[in-house]
């Protein structure tokens, strides 16, 4: 059974940076598309970024493009989300997700991902 465990969340001032990490276990990580989603209080969960399997590329929500970078290390079984120029609107619980066989047009949908971490809180506030 695939398991995902996020770490690295916390409190940061506006304009600051934070790096989230997700540890993957229970499967062959290279065969999974790995994504990051977030959910703010009172809002639906939304897509943040994803990195496809087999070198298929990275994709970002417009709201984080140019500020966030997703990367994976298949040797270490991890996927990271580097976040810069953080804004109060980035405050949310951030979730790591994994899925296989996700076609490109569906990578933004959380329903396409089969496995989820427990989430890590990111708070951007002065």
């Amino acid at each position: 059974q695939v398991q995902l465990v996020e770490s690295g969340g916390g409190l940061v001032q506006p304009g600051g940076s934070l790096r989230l990490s997700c540890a993957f276990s229970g499967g062959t990580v290279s065969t999974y598309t790995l994504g990051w989603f977030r959910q703010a209080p009172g809002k639906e969960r939304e897509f943040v970024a994803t990195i496809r399997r087999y070198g298929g590329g990275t994709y970002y929500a417009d709201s984080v493009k140019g500020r966030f970078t997703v990367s994976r290390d298949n040797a270490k079984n991890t996927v990271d989300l580097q976040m810069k120029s953080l804004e109060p609107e980035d405050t949310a619980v951030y979730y790591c997700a994994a899925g296989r066989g996700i076609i490109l047009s569906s990578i933004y949908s959380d329903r396409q991902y089969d496995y989820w971490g427990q989430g890590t809180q990111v708070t951007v506030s002065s």
Side-chain angles (χ1 to χ4, degrees):
Q1 181 75 2
V2 170
Q3 291 188 329
L4 302 167
V5 179
E6 303 96 336
S7 61
L11 173 64
V12 63
Q13 292 187 342
S17 299
L18 209 57
R19 188 178 187 92
L20 304 183
S21 187
C22 176
F24 175 103
S25 62
T28 304
V29 67
S30 61
T31 66
Y32 285 83
T33 288
L34 303 171
W36 287 94
F37 289 77
R38 67 187 181 186
Q39 187 167 22
K43 294 187 177 181
E44 293 187 354
R45 187 162 56 189
E46 65 173 1
F47 170 80
V48 175
T50 199
I51 183 165
R52 299 186 76 198
R53 61 182 184 174
Y54 307 138
T58 57
Y59 300 86
Y60 299 91
D62 288 343
S63 59
V64 307
K65 204 170 293 183
R67 301 188 298 122
F68 290 13
T69 302
V70 61
S71 60
R72 65 190 295 163
D73 188 330
N74 289 338
K76 295 182 178 179
N77 286 351
T78 58
V79 56
D80 289 354
L81 185 68
Q82 177 68 52
M83 305 184 293
K84 298 180 179 179
S85 302
L86 284 162
E87 305 166 352
E89 292 73 24
D90 296 315
T91 295
V93 177
Y94 283 71
Y95 297 91
C96 175
R100 301 173 78 175
I102 303 175
I103 60 175
L104 183 57
S105 60
S106 296
I107 59 172
Y108 308 100
S109 171
D110 59 359
R111 288 176 291 181
Q112 299 300 316
Y113 294 78
D114 301 310
Y115 303 99
W116 293 82
Q118 82 288 351
T120 186
Q121 176 71 46
V122 171
T123 302
V124 184
S125 175
S126 55

